[in-house]
Every structure is written in C-alpha cells, then in structure tokens.
C-alpha cells in the first residue's frame, strides 16, 4: 500500500483509540518507557486492540525504535532487504555492532542567559557525528556514501535527487528548526540526532524518527534544519547495499568487534566519557567546594528544575533521544550469546537489566511524582514524545503539550517546586544511586572484557571483518 495515512483496520474505533493513546502516555510518564513499549504492555502484540501492525508509508515500513543511530540503520537495512542469516538485524544487535554503550556527563553554565544545562551521554562516541554509524557500516561490510556540502541549495538538490531515485538517506536536522519537537527558540541550533528521509510528496519530506505513523515536514523546513548546526551541516548518509544476507562469519565478527570497542571505550579512565563519569557526577551532587558542585551551581535554585527534568528525559526511554539504552543493550547481548554461542554474554545481559533498573531509580528520584509540578512535567514530556511517535496525527496534541511543558519549566526556572530540605534529600539519593551505578557498570565492563577476550582467543573465534570505511565526498 502507498501510505498508512487514513487507513484504518477492521475493528478500529476512533474513541477507543483516543482512550488507548491517553493510557499509553500515562504509562510512559509513570514508567519512562517509549511509546511502543508502553503500548505493548497495555494491549499486547496481536491482541484484540492491537491494530498496530507496521504502517507502510510511500513503500516504507515504519518500525519505531529507541536509539536514533541504531534504529535508523536497522530500519534502513530492513527496508532494503539486507538481513542476517536468519532474520532482519535488530536495533539491539546493531547497537552492539556500532560500539555499544558509553557514558557521558557534563554540566554546562552559560553566562549570557545564566542558564545551567545537564548533558548526558549513553552511547560509545555518541558525541561524534559519524563514528557509530561508520563503525557499524564498516563492520557489516556495507556499501555506503557520506556527503556534506556547505551550500544549502546544493544540499537540498542532493536530498531530492536521492529521494527521487528511491534512495532513503539519513540526515541530521536541528531539533528546533525541524519543528515537530515543539522546542522553544532558545534551543535553536543546540543540536539534533539522525533521522531517515525516505520520500517527498507534494513538497513535504517524509521522515522516520523512530515513528510508528507517517511524519512529514515541509521541504524548506528540512533544508533549513539541516544547515543550522555547523559540526554536521548538510551531512547525509546513503546506504547502497540492498537485498542480501550478511554472512554468519561477518556478523559474528562485527558483533565481537563492537563489544571489544565498547569495553575499551566505556572501561577507560575519562571522567567525562567513560564509567568514571558516573562517579564524578555522584560526587558533584553533594559536594560543596568544587566549582561544578550542584549545591554551589544551583545554590539560588535557578535552573535546578530544568536540570532535574533533563536527567529524567535523558535517562528514560520516554525522552527524545532514547534514554540510557541499558535495557536495549541487554537484549542485544542475549542475541549475541546465541549468535556467538557464548553463554557468558547471556549471563551478562541479566546484569545489564539490573543496571537499567538502577537508572530508572535515578530518574524516579530526580523527578518525584510526589511533587505535583514534577508529575505534570513527566506527563507532558511523555505526551510530546508519544505524539511524535504518532506522526502527523499527533501534531495538535504535541503542540499543546509542549506549550504547557515549557510554560511549566519557565514558571519554576527561578525557583524549583521543592523545598530546601527536599532538594538536599533528592541530590543525596541521586548521589547514592549513581555510586551504585558506577560500581555496577565498572564491574560489568570488566566481566564483559573477560568474556570477549575468551571469545576472541578461542578456537572458534572469527577474525574481524575490516571493510573499507565509507568515504566522505
């Protein structure tokens, strides 16, 4: 079928579906789950209310997802008929192949508007535009082309030429200018994440941002959003490989190489981009002397509410960028255990699920539902993310929710809706949980290193498949 827009399966009831969407968003706010996960928990897969078989729009199957990079590549490959020996490659397995997990914590302070912003990272080398996707493409031996041009006109023409030829591409639009996240103007130019452009119809670009229904944006808005951020201005990735099976030995080598990459990265000494970042953050939450200590930076209460909300949104899958991804990594390890015939990876998957629960506890502590303003902020954040997953159909809902959310954040920008004693207790609890996370992830990385060393040195180990890195033209 040409498009999923307006197509309603047998048994579809508008009122029932509206009620279901409301229940999904309530669950997202309560659990931090992404839209698809919350929906599956409420209606199951294949249940009486499950009319959510994949939507096909302009020939493109919308698969959803969590991690922008891994989900984009998984969707590109599945839609191109590029599969593993037994099935399409899952987002979770590609997460491993791309280098797995990372760690990152930075507290920014901006003098021009006296703002303080928390930035968290949860993927290997996620601060770099191309490293994760390039690594996965190389390890899988795919043919791909990167392109970048400084000229907006040329970039727009290149995009439409690819789409006109039936070639979907990954692009990096600024989140503010792309529009559908409904962000305030002060976030103009603050960055974005990869999304798939897969068609153009009537001057609108069809985008897949882990969505479950068609999402379209005016072509000129896409062009403007692509040119905004200098570090990846007009970047575009086209994967050319189609209709093939990734050989078993290559897939095994790709997974093992990705895990080894992660062990080296996450197990490093950096206290900004490796596991020690969590220990540093834990200390900064309760210290008083260092310049970046939270009790000092947020002594006047200004920006603290926004910082705590950023923690919840960054950690939980219900946020814009997919959350901490520890649960997805665990699922990938379970797949890898079978693929590599290495039970130790399955055992480690259980450990990472436990770590995922610690991260959930941290988010719950940062934005407690016992505080009405915090509970409402979670509901509104989930409403925006859920409405993005619903594509164009969610446009009105996400605009209303975002308007209320940012008004709420503005209301408490100068003084948070928590008393001094509550703030002290929240920061102390967060520090304690982060200390547990640091110890748990440090031990988990060490065990994973031992498992991967054993697999690499074993008699059945497969040598890494090192393809040519896709060229940037």
């Amino acid at each position: 079928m040409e498009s999923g827009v307006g197509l309603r399966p047998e048994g579809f009831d508008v009122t029932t579906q509206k009620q279901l969407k409301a229940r999904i968003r309530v669950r997202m706010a309560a659990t931090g789950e992404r839209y698809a996960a919350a929906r599956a928990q409420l209606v199951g897969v294949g249940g009486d209310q499950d009319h959510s078989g994949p939507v096909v729009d302009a020939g493109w199957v919308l698969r959803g997802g969590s991690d922008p990079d891994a989900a984009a590549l998984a969707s590109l490959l599945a839609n191109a008929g590029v599969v593993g020996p037994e099935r399409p490659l899952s987002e979770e397995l590609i997460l491993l192949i791309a280098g797995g997990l990372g760690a990152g914590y930075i507290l920014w302070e901006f003098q021009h508007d006296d703002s303080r912003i928390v930035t968290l990272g949860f993927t290997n080398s996620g601060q770099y535009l191309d490293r994760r996707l390039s690594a996965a493409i190389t390890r899988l031996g795919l043919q791909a082309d990167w392109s970048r041009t400084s000229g907006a006109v040329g970039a727009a023409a290149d995009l439409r030429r690819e789409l006109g030829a039936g070639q979907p591409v990954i692009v990096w639009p600024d989140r503010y200018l792309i529009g559908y996240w409904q962000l305030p103007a002060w976030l103009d130019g603050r960055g974005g994440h990869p999304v798939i452009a897969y068609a153009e119809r009537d001057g609108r670009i069809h985008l897949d941002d882990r969505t479950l229904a068609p999402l379209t944006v005016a072509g000129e808005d896409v062009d403007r959003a692509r040119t905004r951020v200098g570090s990846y201005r007009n970047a575009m990735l086209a994967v050319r490989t189609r209709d093939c099976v990734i050989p078993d030995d290559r897939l095994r080598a790709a997974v093992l190489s990705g895990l080894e990459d992660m062990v080296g990265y996450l197990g490093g000494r950096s206290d900004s981009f490796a596991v020690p970042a969590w220990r540093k953050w834990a200390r900064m939450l309760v210290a008083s002397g260092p310049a970046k200590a939270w009790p000092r930076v947020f002594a006047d209460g200004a920006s603290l509410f926004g910082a705590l909300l950023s923690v919840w949104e960054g950690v939980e899958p219900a946020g814009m960028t997919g959350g901490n991804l520890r649960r997805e990594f665990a699922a990938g390890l379970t797949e890898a255990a079978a693929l590599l015939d290495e039970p130790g990876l399955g055992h480690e998957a259980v450990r990472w699920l436990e770590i995922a629960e610690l991260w959930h506890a941290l988010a719950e502590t940062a934005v407690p539902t016992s505080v009405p303003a915090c509970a409402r902020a979670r509901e509104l954040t989930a409403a925006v993310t859920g409405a993005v997953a619903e594509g164009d159909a969610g446009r009105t809902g996400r605009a209303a929710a975002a308007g209320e959310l940012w008004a709420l954040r503005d209301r408490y920008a100068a003084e948070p809706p928590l008393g001094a004693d509550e703030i002290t207790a929240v920061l102390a609890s967060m520090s304690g949980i982060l200390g547990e996370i640091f110890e748990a992830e440090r031990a988990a990385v060490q065990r994973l290193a031992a498992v991967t060393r054993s697999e690499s040195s074993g008699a059945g180990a497969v040598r890494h498949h090192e393809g040519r890195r896709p060229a940037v033209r």
Side-chain angles (χ1 to χ4, degrees):
M1 55 184 169
E2 176 65 9
S3 173
V5 178
L7 296 179
R8 295 175 178 174
E10 184 178 353
F12 185 98
D13 179 79
V14 174
T15 301
T16 300
Q17 290 302 307
K18 286 183 177 178
Q19 293 171 343
L20 175 59
K21 289 178 180 179
R23 291 171 58 208
I24 291 170
R25 293 173 188 178
V26 168
R27 183 179 173 91
M28 290 173 67
T31 65
E33 294 167 327
R34 285 196 75 74
Y35 187 94
R39 191 186 195 286
Q41 290 297 319
L42 290 172
V43 305
V45 178
D48 292 340
Q49 296 186 68
D50 185 15
H51 305 300
S52 64
V55 171
V56 181
D57 175 50
W60 182 265
V61 180
L62 295 162
R63 296 160 44 92
S66 297
D67 170 34
D69 291 74
L73 186 55
S75 190
L76 278 177
L77 296 183
N79 276 279
V82 179
V83 299
E86 299 181 359
R87 63 183 69 88
L89 300 183
S90 69
E91 172 192 349
E92 292 81 5
L93 194 64
I94 289 178
L95 172 62
L96 269 65
I97 293 169
L101 301 175
Y105 162 75
I106 298 177
L107 174 58
W108 301 96
E109 297 180 78
F110 297 98
Q111 294 183 351
H112 71 279
D113 59 0
D114 196 32
S115 62
R116 304 115 198 216
I117 297 175
V118 177
T119 299
L120 302 177
F122 292 106
T123 57
N124 185 341
S125 301
Q127 68 271 33
Y128 299 104
L129 159 71
D130 63 340
R131 287 195 184 179
R132 299 178 64 217
L133 286 169
S134 287
I137 288 167
T138 296
R139 288 167 183 150
L140 290 170
L142 305 173
Q143 180 184 359
D145 293 318
W146 289 86
S147 65
R148 294 190 66 174
T149 177
S150 59
V153 174
D158 288 346
L159 172 60
R160 285 156 181 79
R161 182 169 55 252
E162 295 285 8
L163 296 179
Q167 174 67 58
V169 294
I170 296 178
V171 295
W172 282 259
D174 175 67
R175 290 192 195 101
Y176 168 73
L177 289 176
I178 202 63
Y180 54 80
W181 288 108
Q182 300 288 331
L183 299 174
W186 64 269
L187 287 173
D188 181 4
R190 294 291 181 91
H193 56 257
V195 304
I196 300 170
Y198 59 88
E200 181 186 22
R201 298 286 188 276
D202 301 320
R204 298 185 70 82
I205 306 295
H206 292 233
L207 300 176
D208 183 353
D209 189 352
R210 301 153 296 161
T211 45
L212 299 170
L215 174 68
T216 66
V217 176
E220 58 269 24
D221 291 338
V222 174
D223 297 336
R224 189 161 45 249
R226 292 183 60 212
T227 64
R228 180 64 180 90
V229 182
S231 57
Y232 45 82
R233 178 176 292 120
N234 296 325
M236 186 168 69
L237 169 62
V239 177
R240 308 294 185 187
T241 305
R242 301 185 63 85
D243 300 318
C244 71
V245 177
I246 303 294
D248 182 73
D249 60 344
R250 186 187 302 170
L251 185 58
R252 288 166 54 89
V255 170
L256 188 57
S257 179
L259 287 172
E260 291 174 339
D261 186 2
M262 171 185 149
V263 166
Y265 182 85
L266 196 56
R269 297 181 178 181
S270 171
D271 62 4
S272 293
F273 300 109
V275 169
W278 309 141
R279 179 177 57 191
K280 178 181 74 173
W281 186 14
R283 292 171 176 171
M284 291 299 102
L285 284 167
V286 293
S288 57
K292 290 291 186 178
W294 281 48
R296 182 171 175 176
V297 171
F298 298 105
D300 59 359
S303 297
L304 178 59
F305 185 55
L308 293 173
L309 288 180
S310 295
V311 172
W312 189 85
E313 184 181 17
V315 167
E316 295 287 46
M320 282 190 295
T321 54
N324 65 82
L325 298 174
R326 271 53 184 168
R327 191 170 299 277
E328 289 78 3
F329 180 71
L333 281 181
T334 300
E335 286 192 60
L339 178 68
L340 298 174
D341 192 22
E342 177 48 76
L345 294 177
H347 299 153
E348 291 310 305
V350 176
R351 307 279 186 159
W352 284 100
L353 285 175
E354 294 170 352
I355 291 171
E357 287 301 313
L358 286 174
W359 280 108
H360 176 61
L362 178 73
E364 289 285 296
T365 302
V367 186
T369 55
S370 59
V371 178
C374 291
R376 186 58 179 157
R378 286 168 55 159
E379 292 168 1
L380 293 168
T381 300
V384 173
T385 307
V388 170
E390 294 164 5
D392 288 347
R395 182 183 293 118
T396 301
R398 63 178 173 261
E404 184 181 345
L405 172 62
W406 289 100
L408 184 67
R409 292 177 69 130
D410 287 343
R411 177 182 175 184
Y412 293 106
E415 184 176 352
L418 300 93
D421 290 344
E422 290 177 298
I423 292 172
T424 299
V426 164
L427 297 185
S429 295
M430 289 176 63
S431 178
I433 296 169
L434 275 166
E436 292 183 60
I437 289 171
F438 165 71
E439 296 293 349
E441 291 202 357
R442 180 174 64 172
V445 170
Q446 291 172 348
R447 289 192 303 269
L448 198 55
V451 173
T452 55
R453 279 196 302 269
S454 174
E455 179 66 21
S456 295
S457 61
V462 182
R463 288 296 169 200
H464 300 172
H465 176 86
E466 297 297 341
R468 181 174 58 86
R469 178 186 173 91
V472 178
R473 68 172 190 269

